[in-house]
């Protein structure tokens, strides 16, 4: 009976092979295996991409946080500027008043130094004139002495 069952199985196999059923089944099985392999590879690639996605999402989150922080800083700076605008205006007017007073004092100081310089120049001219007069009198006195010595030398020469 075993032989009969085995013969029946072989006969059925031959019938399936001849009818193409077995070939289709093998092809179908191979396609199923290829699909499974492809799905496994896709899952593996997805798992490999997962850390990249996590990192990218963290980077995006950090960029958003930094942008929000920059917006907050800009708004805070604007508020600070608005708060200090009146103080800046007052400081500007105070500075202008101080500059004007400094200009006035500089002008008076410049006038005083110019007047002092003019006085010194006039005094130097007076001294120069006085020295010139003194030198002229000295020169005339020297000239008279030279003439006296020349005339006495001439008299001595004539006497000899």
């Amino acid at each position: 009976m075993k032989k009969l069952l085995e013969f029946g199985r072989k006969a059925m196999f031959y019938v399936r092979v001849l009818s193409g059923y077995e070939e289709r089944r093998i092809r179908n099985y191979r396609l199923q295996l290829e699909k499974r392999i492809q799905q496994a590879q896709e899952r593996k690639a997805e798992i490999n991409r997962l850390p990249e996605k996590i990192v990218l999402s963290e980077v995006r989150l950090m960029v958003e946080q930094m942008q929000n922080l920059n917006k907050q800083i800009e708004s805070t700076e604007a508020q600070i500027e608005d708060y200090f605008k009146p103080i800046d205006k007052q400081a500007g007017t105070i500075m202008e008043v101080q500059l004007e007073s400094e200009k006035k004092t500089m002008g008076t100081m410049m006038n005083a130094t110019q007047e002092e310089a003019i006085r010194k120049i006039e005094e130097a001219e007076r001294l120069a004139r006085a020295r010139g007069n003194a030198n002229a009198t000295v020169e005339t006195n020297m000239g008279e002495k030279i003439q006296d010595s020349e005339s006495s030398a001439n008299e001595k020469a004539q006497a000899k």
Side-chain angles (χ1 to χ4, degrees):
M1 175 91 180
K2 285 184 178 180
K3 285 186 177 184
L4 184 64
L5 278 175
E6 194 174 315
F7 178 77
R9 283 186 194 150
K10 282 184 183 180
M12 285 297 292
F13 178 74
Y14 288 131
V15 169
R16 280 189 269 158
V17 169
L18 291 176
S19 68
Y21 174 80
E22 195 66 29
E23 188 178 337
R24 279 181 272 150
R25 194 173 135 221
I26 292 171
R27 209 179 297 143
N28 191 18
Y29 181 72
R30 191 190 67 197
L31 288 174
Q32 285 179 351
L33 284 177
E34 286 178 2
K35 284 181 183 178
R36 286 182 188 171
I37 290 171
Q38 187 177 7
Q39 288 174 350
Q41 287 175 347
E42 288 175 1
R43 277 188 248 129
K44 186 177 176 182
E46 188 70 28
I47 289 172
N48 288 339
R49 283 189 224 132
L50 190 63
E52 291 176 8
K53 287 182 179 180
I54 292 172
V55 169
L56 287 174
S57 66
E58 288 293 323
V59 168
R60 285 188 195 114
L61 183 65
M62 287 174 57
V63 167
E64 288 176 8
Q65 289 174 350
M66 290 175 71
Q67 288 174 344
N68 290 335
L69 183 65
N70 283 339
K71 288 177 185 177
Q72 288 176 350
I73 288 172
E74 288 174 1
S75 66
T76 304
E77 286 177 353
Q79 290 174 352
I80 289 170
E81 287 177 8
D82 290 342
Y83 181 78
F84 283 111
K85 274 185 184 178
I87 295 170
D88 287 341
K89 286 180 182 178
Q90 291 175 354
T93 55
I94 291 170
M95 292 286 283
E96 288 174 6
V97 169
Q98 287 179 346
L99 285 173
E100 288 175 10
S101 65
E102 286 180 11
K103 284 181 184 177
K104 287 179 185 176
T105 55
M106 278 181 89
T108 55
M109 288 174 70
M110 289 292 285
N111 289 337
T113 53
Q114 286 177 353
E115 290 174 6
E116 185 67 28
I118 291 170
R119 283 188 211 137
K120 286 184 180 179
I121 292 170
E122 289 174 354
E123 188 176 321
E125 288 176 356
R126 280 189 226 135
L127 288 174
R129 281 189 220 135
R131 285 185 191 157
N133 289 341
N135 286 341
T137 55
V138 169
E139 286 178 9
T140 55
N141 288 340
M142 291 292 273
E144 289 174 4
K145 289 180 184 178
I146 291 172
Q147 287 176 358
D148 287 340
S149 64
E150 285 178 359
S151 60
S152 62
N154 284 339
E155 288 174 7
K156 288 182 186 177
Q158 286 176 356
K160 286 188 183 177

